[in-house]
Amino acid sequence: MKHEKKYDIIIIGGLGHVGLPLGIAFANKGLKVCLYDIDKKKAERVLAGEMPFIEYGAEPVLKKVIGKELTISLNLKDLANANYIIVAIGTPVDEYLSPKLRGFFNLFEKFMQYLDSSQTIIIRSTVYPRVCEQMEKFLLKKGLSINIAYCPERIIQGYSIKELNELPQIVAGLNSESEKKAVELFSVLSPKVIPVKMGEAELIKLFANAWRYISFAVSNQFYMIATMHGENYDSIRKALMDGYGRAASIPGAGFTAGPCLLKDTMQLASFTSNTFQLGHAAMMVNEGLPDFIVSQLRYSHDLSKATVGILGMAFKADIDDTRDSLSFRLKKTLSFHNANVICSDYMVNDPTFVTTEQLVADSDIIIIGVPHSAYKGLPFPSNKVIIDLWGVTKATDVIP
Ligand SMILES: NC(=O)c1ccc[n+]([C@@H]2O[C@H](COP(=O)([O-])OP(=O)(O)OC[C@H]3O[C@@H](n4cnc5c(N)ncnc54)[C@H](O)[C@@H]3O)[C@@H](O)[C@H]2O)c1
């Protein structure tokens, strides 16, 4: 790769869950990478070789490349110094579950004075279909003609250092030059690059997340049906799958949360003028699971006299990220019914949380919020009511 500018790549949002591992991975391949971000505290930690969140296998590589191939900038002007501008900032939905596009475009208005037509913009954030085309028109109107490509991130959070080197990369350019530049860049990292049309790439990313979100909803609905009939869903699922390949992909039940799956399913719903019935149905099932647990518990318990412990507050197993975690929704619903709620998560640094041991000792009812490794096979005193959707502990998931 030619080094026409000081950096091969600058990543906007370079200290985030997508930007940082990607920057580390490219730097580890010998590319000159600059991480541009606005978060000073994270910048200090990363400069000291410390990962600000859990990404397995990332820290040793970070320590190897920081200050050499990998640098950090809090100065927008550095955008001028890179051949590739990778955009990895958050793309949330608003209170109507529609994508917040204005913020994204406003940012580009701020960035564009530092960009020139020799550069290539790679959109890595998950975007609403047609955003890349609109971006091109927006920049053209303001006098900047620049290559734009969309190369969606498909890693699973926590495991990106491994997956970035293993997953094929979907690539789309708005013209052949943009596609060529994006293919050239990702060929350094990915074992396979799959060029597709822009509209296809945008839908591939949203379909990938909606597919996962809906498949989890199927299992969560089955869980609710089994539980309403007093049956143990985990043992039903295991027996159903046993030697029966056609059902091998049924996931386990559990809270389906985090900053991506629901958001991207709703982006797709918004794109289809809210005719994506399966997506909306999945949202109602997945988001309704904490309420289902509470309503089942209320049949048999006076929650106002109970201490309920939620074990696991991260949005998924073995990470420290609580963004959009359904354990917090569960906490809110339990508190609404006047339960005394205590929370614990050994992966998350929160001074209000108690230890696993204290939670087990103090709770009448224990709900497993997330199946962290340390909870697997965890025994509980027989006088406790245990709700374990995931089937990871030695308890039953039937609500008595
Ligand atoms: N987290 C995942 O596993 C994952 C996977 C695939 C795709 N995505 C998509 O990637 C995108 C980023 O997600 P994330 O989880 O990394 O978000 P994040 O919040 O972890 O990271 C965003 C980063 O952008 C920085 N930032 C915000 N505004 C900025 C600005 N004006 N200038 C510079 N930096 C700015 C923040 O400080 C933060 O470090 C989203 O579109 C998301 O849907 C995420």
Tab-separated table of all heavy atoms in Angstrom, residues 12-19 36-39 42 88-91 107 110-111 124-126 153-157 205 209 259-260 263-264 323, ligand 1:
chain	number	residue	atom	x	y	z
A	12	ILE	N	-12.587	7.693	12.373
A	12	ILE	CA	-13.421	8.627	13.151
A	12	ILE	C	-14.280	7.784	14.092
A	12	ILE	O	-15.024	6.911	13.646
A	12	ILE	CB	-14.326	9.474	12.232
A	12	ILE	CG1	-13.489	10.241	11.207
A	12	ILE	CG2	-15.179	10.432	13.054
A	12	ILE	CD1	-14.306	11.029	10.190
A	13	GLY	N	-14.161	8.044	15.387
A	13	GLY	CA	-14.770	7.144	16.377
A	13	GLY	C	-13.804	5.998	16.640
A	13	GLY	O	-14.201	4.870	16.929
A	14	GLY	N	-12.522	6.324	16.561
A	14	GLY	CA	-11.472	5.305	16.618
A	14	GLY	C	-11.274	4.657	17.971
A	14	GLY	O	-10.516	3.689	18.083
A	15	LEU	N	-11.929	5.192	19.022
A	15	LEU	CA	-11.760	4.569	20.336
A	15	LEU	C	-13.010	3.799	20.747
A	15	LEU	O	-13.145	3.381	21.901
A	15	LEU	CB	-11.417	5.638	21.385
A	15	LEU	CG	-10.095	6.379	21.105
A	15	LEU	CD1	-9.865	7.496	22.115
A	15	LEU	CD2	-8.912	5.410	21.121
A	16	GLY	N	-13.914	3.585	19.812
A	16	GLY	CA	-15.148	2.859	20.113
A	16	GLY	C	-14.995	1.350	19.950
A	16	GLY	O	-13.915	0.851	19.589
A	17	HIS	N	-16.089	0.645	20.194
A	17	HIS	CA	-16.059	-0.823	20.155
A	17	HIS	C	-15.758	-1.368	18.757
A	17	HIS	O	-15.222	-2.464	18.620
A	17	HIS	CB	-17.392	-1.383	20.660
A	17	HIS	CG	-17.585	-1.167	22.125
A	17	HIS	ND1	-18.043	0.017	22.658
A	17	HIS	CD2	-17.342	-1.984	23.193
A	17	HIS	CE1	-18.091	-0.078	23.970
A	17	HIS	NE2	-17.671	-1.278	24.327
A	18	VAL	N	-16.101	-0.597	17.734
A	18	VAL	CA	-15.789	-1.015	16.367
A	18	VAL	C	-14.459	-0.410	15.918
A	18	VAL	O	-13.586	-1.097	15.382
A	18	VAL	CB	-16.942	-0.598	15.413
A	18	VAL	CG1	-16.493	-0.602	13.957
A	18	VAL	CG2	-18.121	-1.546	15.598
A	19	GLY	N	-14.299	0.896	16.167
A	19	GLY	CA	-13.125	1.603	15.655
A	19	GLY	C	-11.809	1.116	16.231
A	19	GLY	O	-10.831	0.940	15.491
A	36	TYR	N	-9.021	8.836	15.528
A	36	TYR	CA	-9.536	10.155	15.905
A	36	TYR	C	-10.803	9.973	16.740
A	36	TYR	O	-11.709	9.221	16.348
A	36	TYR	CB	-9.836	11.008	14.655
A	36	TYR	CG	-10.667	12.218	15.008
A	36	TYR	CD1	-10.122	13.266	15.753
A	36	TYR	CD2	-12.018	12.277	14.663
A	36	TYR	CE1	-10.892	14.347	16.133
A	36	TYR	CE2	-12.798	13.357	15.040
A	36	TYR	CZ	-12.232	14.385	15.779
A	36	TYR	OH	-12.999	15.436	16.169
A	37	ASP	N	-10.838	10.622	17.906
A	37	ASP	CA	-12.016	10.491	18.766
A	37	ASP	C	-12.147	11.768	19.598
A	37	ASP	O	-11.271	12.633	19.581
A	37	ASP	CB	-11.874	9.253	19.674
A	37	ASP	CG	-13.215	8.651	20.073
A	37	ASP	OD1	-13.933	9.296	20.878
A	37	ASP	OD2	-13.569	7.557	19.603
A	38	ILE	N	-13.261	11.865	20.324
A	38	ILE	CA	-13.466	13.045	21.170
A	38	ILE	C	-13.364	12.693	22.659
A	38	ILE	O	-13.536	13.543	23.508
A	38	ILE	CB	-14.852	13.688	20.880
A	38	ILE	CG1	-15.950	12.624	20.905
A	38	ILE	CG2	-14.841	14.436	19.564
A	38	ILE	CD1	-17.359	13.194	20.752
A	39	ASP	N	-13.114	11.421	22.944
A	39	ASP	CA	-13.115	10.949	24.332
A	39	ASP	C	-11.682	10.959	24.903
A	39	ASP	O	-10.894	10.033	24.665
A	39	ASP	CB	-13.718	9.531	24.365
A	39	ASP	CG	-14.002	9.064	25.777
A	39	ASP	OD1	-13.238	9.423	26.697
A	39	ASP	OD2	-14.973	8.311	25.953
A	42	LYS	N	-10.644	7.971	27.353
A	42	LYS	CA	-10.321	6.713	26.665
A	42	LYS	C	-8.974	6.844	25.956
A	42	LYS	O	-8.185	5.903	25.930
A	42	LYS	CB	-11.415	6.379	25.640
A	42	LYS	CG	-12.473	5.419	26.198
A	42	LYS	CD	-13.264	4.719	25.107
A	42	LYS	CE	-14.400	5.551	24.598
A	42	LYS	NZ	-15.203	4.912	23.549
A	88	ALA	N	-16.586	5.235	12.084
A	88	ALA	CA	-17.054	4.170	12.989
A	88	ALA	C	-17.762	4.753	14.208
A	88	ALA	O	-17.667	4.217	15.308
A	88	ALA	CB	-15.871	3.292	13.418
A	89	ILE	N	-18.456	5.859	14.005
A	89	ILE	CA	-19.197	6.447	15.137
A	89	ILE	C	-20.550	5.754	15.281
A	89	ILE	O	-21.002	5.047	14.379
A	89	ILE	CB	-19.388	7.979	14.976
A	89	ILE	CG1	-20.019	8.280	13.619
A	89	ILE	CG2	-18.077	8.717	15.147
A	89	ILE	CD1	-20.364	9.730	13.415
A	90	GLY	N	-21.211	5.974	16.409
A	90	GLY	CA	-22.511	5.346	16.654
A	90	GLY	C	-23.573	5.886	15.708
A	90	GLY	O	-23.519	7.053	15.292
A	91	THR	N	-24.532	5.032	15.364
A	91	THR	CA	-25.644	5.448	14.493
A	91	THR	C	-26.958	5.019	15.154
A	91	THR	O	-27.592	4.065	14.725
A	91	THR	CB	-25.518	4.798	13.098
A	91	THR	OG1	-25.251	3.394	13.275
A	91	THR	CG2	-24.437	5.419	12.264
A	107	LEU	N	-22.129	15.963	11.197
A	107	LEU	CA	-20.720	15.671	11.460
A	107	LEU	C	-19.902	15.838	10.184
A	107	LEU	O	-18.819	16.416	10.198
A	107	LEU	CB	-20.562	14.237	11.975
A	107	LEU	CG	-20.828	14.019	13.449
A	107	LEU	CD1	-20.553	12.582	13.827
A	107	LEU	CD2	-19.930	14.932	14.283
A	110	LYS	N	-18.936	19.220	9.378
A	110	LYS	CA	-17.792	19.684	10.174
A	110	LYS	C	-16.474	19.101	9.627
A	110	LYS	O	-15.454	19.767	9.602
A	110	LYS	CB	-18.002	19.183	11.618
A	110	LYS	CG	-17.587	20.163	12.680
A	110	LYS	CD	-18.104	19.771	14.045
A	110	LYS	CE	-17.326	18.643	14.657
A	110	LYS	NZ	-17.824	18.185	15.955
A	111	PHE	N	-16.549	17.815	9.189
A	111	PHE	CA	-15.322	17.123	8.764
A	111	PHE	C	-14.831	17.586	7.395
A	111	PHE	O	-13.643	17.552	7.110
A	111	PHE	CB	-15.563	15.607	8.667
A	111	PHE	CG	-15.934	14.939	9.958
A	111	PHE	CD1	-16.672	13.746	9.961
A	111	PHE	CD2	-15.549	15.469	11.178
A	111	PHE	CE1	-17.015	13.121	11.150
A	111	PHE	CE2	-15.890	14.847	12.371
A	111	PHE	CZ	-16.622	13.664	12.352
A	124	ARG	N	-18.064	2.517	8.036
A	124	ARG	CA	-18.005	1.244	8.762
A	124	ARG	C	-19.209	1.130	9.699
A	124	ARG	O	-19.647	0.035	10.044
A	124	ARG	CB	-16.701	1.213	9.578
A	124	ARG	CG	-16.403	-0.109	10.260
A	124	ARG	CD	-16.064	-1.167	9.242
A	124	ARG	NE	-15.452	-2.355	9.811
A	124	ARG	CZ	-15.273	-3.468	9.127
A	124	ARG	NH1	-15.640	-3.554	7.860
A	124	ARG	NH2	-14.710	-4.526	9.689
A	125	SER	N	-19.709	2.280	10.181
A	125	SER	CA	-20.908	2.284	11.031
A	125	SER	C	-22.048	1.651	10.241
A	125	SER	O	-22.061	1.714	9.006
A	125	SER	CB	-21.313	3.717	11.361
A	125	SER	OG	-20.262	4.415	11.956
A	126	THR	N	-23.007	1.088	10.968
A	126	THR	CA	-24.168	0.531	10.284
A	126	THR	C	-25.091	1.672	9.898
A	126	THR	O	-25.502	2.461	10.754
A	126	THR	CB	-24.916	-0.431	11.230
A	126	THR	OG1	-23.967	-1.397	11.701
A	126	THR	CG2	-26.059	-1.126	10.513
A	153	GLU	N	-19.315	-3.581	9.345
A	153	GLU	CA	-18.677	-4.409	10.378
A	153	GLU	C	-19.631	-5.541	10.746
A	153	GLU	O	-20.803	-5.297	11.024
A	153	GLU	CB	-18.407	-3.522	11.602
A	153	GLU	CG	-17.791	-4.221	12.781
A	153	GLU	CD	-16.425	-4.774	12.461
A	153	GLU	OE1	-15.428	-4.046	12.615
A	153	GLU	OE2	-16.370	-5.961	12.072
A	154	ARG	N	-19.133	-6.778	10.758
A	154	ARG	CA	-20.019	-7.898	11.118
A	154	ARG	C	-19.460	-8.736	12.265
A	154	ARG	O	-19.890	-9.861	12.480
A	154	ARG	CB	-20.271	-8.779	9.888
A	154	ARG	CG	-21.090	-8.067	8.815
A	154	ARG	CD	-21.576	-9.014	7.754
A	154	ARG	NE	-20.489	-9.631	7.006
A	154	ARG	CZ	-20.638	-10.642	6.164
A	154	ARG	NH1	-21.833	-11.163	5.983
A	154	ARG	NH2	-19.606	-11.144	5.502
A	155	ILE	N	-18.495	-8.177	12.993
A	155	ILE	CA	-17.907	-8.933	14.107
A	155	ILE	C	-18.914	-9.071	15.255
A	155	ILE	O	-19.899	-8.347	15.320
A	155	ILE	CB	-16.634	-8.257	14.665
A	155	ILE	CG1	-16.881	-6.789	15.007
A	155	ILE	CG2	-15.482	-8.410	13.744
A	155	ILE	CD1	-17.277	-6.454	16.371
A	156	ILE	N	-18.617	-10.000	16.149
A	156	ILE	CA	-19.396	-10.091	17.374
A	156	ILE	C	-18.565	-9.425	18.467
A	156	ILE	O	-17.366	-9.704	18.601
A	156	ILE	CB	-19.764	-11.559	17.684
A	156	ILE	CG1	-20.709	-11.641	18.862
A	156	ILE	CG2	-18.559	-12.432	17.942
A	156	ILE	CD1	-21.606	-12.858	18.794
A	157	GLN	N	-19.188	-8.481	19.175
A	157	GLN	CA	-18.440	-7.683	20.154
A	157	GLN	C	-17.715	-8.558	21.161
A	157	GLN	O	-18.288	-9.503	21.700
A	157	GLN	CB	-19.399	-6.731	20.874
A	157	GLN	CG	-18.677	-5.599	21.583
A	157	GLN	CD	-19.641	-4.563	22.132
A	157	GLN	OE1	-20.518	-4.120	21.425
A	157	GLN	NE2	-19.475	-4.190	23.373
A	205	LYS	N	-26.044	-5.963	5.749
A	205	LYS	CA	-25.744	-5.683	7.162
A	205	LYS	C	-27.025	-5.700	7.997
A	205	LYS	O	-27.079	-6.307	9.078
A	205	LYS	CB	-25.047	-4.317	7.280
A	205	LYS	CG	-24.828	-3.846	8.706
A	205	LYS	CD	-23.931	-4.781	9.510
A	205	LYS	CE	-24.098	-4.566	10.995
A	205	LYS	NZ	-23.366	-5.480	11.833
A	209	ASN	N	-28.269	-8.615	11.068
A	209	ASN	CA	-28.663	-8.364	12.460
A	209	ASN	C	-30.132	-8.674	12.710
A	209	ASN	O	-30.496	-9.189	13.776
A	209	ASN	CB	-28.324	-6.919	12.857
A	209	ASN	CG	-26.872	-6.792	13.294
A	209	ASN	OD1	-26.148	-7.785	13.314
A	209	ASN	ND2	-26.438	-5.606	13.634
A	259	PRO	N	-26.500	-2.685	21.733
A	259	PRO	CA	-26.749	-1.487	20.930
A	259	PRO	C	-27.026	-1.749	19.453
A	259	PRO	O	-27.258	-0.810	18.709
A	259	PRO	CB	-25.440	-0.707	21.100
A	259	PRO	CG	-24.408	-1.753	21.341
A	259	PRO	CD	-25.076	-2.875	22.064
A	260	CYS	N	-26.986	-3.002	18.999
A	260	CYS	CA	-27.075	-3.221	17.545
A	260	CYS	C	-28.324	-3.958	17.058
A	260	CYS	O	-28.972	-3.514	16.113
A	260	CYS	CB	-25.852	-3.979	17.064
A	260	CYS	SG	-24.382	-2.952	17.050
A	263	LYS	N	-31.708	-2.089	17.278
A	263	LYS	CA	-31.563	-0.843	16.508
A	263	LYS	C	-31.571	-1.121	15.006
A	263	LYS	O	-32.272	-0.472	14.234
A	263	LYS	CB	-30.247	-0.175	16.936
A	263	LYS	CG	-29.971	1.161	16.357
A	263	LYS	CD	-28.837	1.222	15.369
A	263	LYS	CE	-27.489	0.706	15.740
A	263	LYS	NZ	-26.528	0.753	14.637
A	264	ASP	N	-30.825	-2.149	14.588
A	264	ASP	CA	-30.744	-2.406	13.146
A	264	ASP	C	-32.029	-3.043	12.612
A	264	ASP	O	-32.420	-2.801	11.464
A	264	ASP	CB	-29.513	-3.262	12.832
A	264	ASP	CG	-28.232	-2.471	13.083
A	264	ASP	OD1	-28.321	-1.226	13.176
A	264	ASP	OD2	-27.161	-3.084	13.202
A	323	ARG	N	-24.611	-1.472	27.571
A	323	ARG	CA	-25.477	-0.648	26.705
A	323	ARG	C	-26.747	-1.416	26.329
A	323	ARG	O	-26.698	-2.505	25.803
A	323	ARG	CB	-24.728	-0.234	25.430
A	323	ARG	CG	-23.647	0.799	25.670
A	323	ARG	CD	-22.953	1.176	24.368
A	323	ARG	NE	-22.232	0.066	23.778
A	323	ARG	CZ	-21.662	0.116	22.574
A	323	ARG	NH1	-21.761	1.189	21.837
A	323	ARG	NH2	-21.012	-0.932	22.117
B	1	LIG	N1	-20.480	-2.764	18.823
B	1	LIG	C1	-20.557	-3.713	17.888
B	1	LIG	O1	-20.339	-4.897	18.145
B	1	LIG	C2	-20.900	-3.359	16.457
B	1	LIG	C3	-20.850	-4.368	15.494
B	1	LIG	C4	-21.131	-4.046	14.185
B	1	LIG	C5	-21.483	-2.738	13.846
B	1	LIG	N2	-21.574	-1.780	14.804
B	1	LIG	C6	-21.906	-0.407	14.391
B	1	LIG	O2	-20.721	0.375	14.485
B	1	LIG	C7	-21.048	1.720	14.844
B	1	LIG	C8	-20.260	2.128	16.086
B	1	LIG	O3	-20.679	1.321	17.176
B	1	LIG	P1	-19.796	1.162	18.488
B	1	LIG	O4	-20.397	0.067	19.278
B	1	LIG	O5	-18.344	1.074	18.139
B	1	LIG	O6	-20.071	2.563	19.191
B	1	LIG	P2	-19.222	3.185	20.394
B	1	LIG	O7	-20.137	4.130	21.081
B	1	LIG	O8	-18.534	2.132	21.170
B	1	LIG	O9	-18.091	4.018	19.643
B	1	LIG	C9	-18.299	5.242	19.018
B	1	LIG	C10	-17.050	6.097	19.226
B	1	LIG	O10	-17.259	7.300	18.493
B	1	LIG	C11	-16.769	8.373	19.264
B	1	LIG	N3	-17.395	9.585	18.767
B	1	LIG	C12	-18.663	10.023	18.963
B	1	LIG	N4	-18.856	11.191	18.337
B	1	LIG	C13	-17.686	11.492	17.729
B	1	LIG	C14	-17.252	12.587	16.928
B	1	LIG	N5	-18.055	13.596	16.652
B	1	LIG	N6	-15.991	12.570	16.465
B	1	LIG	C15	-15.155	11.556	16.766
B	1	LIG	N7	-15.506	10.491	17.516
B	1	LIG	C16	-16.758	10.473	17.991
B	1	LIG	C17	-17.119	8.011	20.694
B	1	LIG	O11	-16.348	8.728	21.625
B	1	LIG	C18	-16.826	6.509	20.691
B	1	LIG	O12	-15.474	6.252	21.063
B	1	LIG	C19	-22.566	1.756	15.001
B	1	LIG	O13	-23.127	2.134	13.769
B	1	LIG	C20	-22.906	0.301	15.288
B	1	LIG	O14	-24.218	-0.012	14.921
B	1	LIG	C21	-21.273	-2.058	16.112
